[in-house]
């Protein structure tokens, strides 16, 4: 049996699922391009995390710019 361990925080669980579990399931099902689809948008805020990837809940405005949304918008 294959088991995936995910964190308990709902947002962390979603990110972990999208990054690791879904691509693994797709690959096990024989999908040729098993990676998830991601789009890049301009980020409307400054961030101090230049040395690592951060995943931030965002809302996309009518201008096409992603801005932090929700309670944990930015953790500087």
């Amino acid at each position: 049996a294959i088991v995936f361990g995910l964190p308990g925080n709902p947002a962390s669980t979603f990110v972990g699922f999208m990054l690791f579990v879904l691509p693994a399931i797709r690959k096990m099902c024989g999908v040729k391009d098993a990676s998830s689809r991601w789009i890049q948008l301009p980020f409307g805020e400054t961030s101090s995390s230049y040395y690592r990837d951060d995943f931030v809940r965002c809302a996309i405005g009518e201008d096409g710019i992603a801005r932090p949304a929700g309670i944990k918008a930015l953790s500087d």
Side-chain angles (χ1 to χ4, degrees):
I2 297 173
V3 177
F4 295 97
L6 295 170
N9 178 287
S12 299
T13 300
F14 175 75
V15 171
F17 179 84
M18 293 302 291
L19 287 176
F20 304 113
V21 179
L22 188 58
I25 291 171
R26 286 180 176 160
K27 189 169 185 172
M28 288 185 284
C29 290
V31 176
K32 291 183 182 180
D33 182 14
S35 62
S36 297
R37 295 181 185 168
W38 296 89
I39 59 170
Q40 290 186 345
L41 297 171
F43 189 54
E45 300 287 331
T46 58
S47 175
S48 61
S49 300
Y50 296 109
Y51 59 93
R52 67 173 192 234
D53 289 336
D54 282 335
F55 293 87
V56 179
R57 297 176 204 170
C58 290
I60 302 171
E62 291 182 14
D63 55 0
I65 296 176
R67 292 188 177 78
I71 296 171
K72 294 185 178 184
L74 283 177
S75 56
D76 288 326

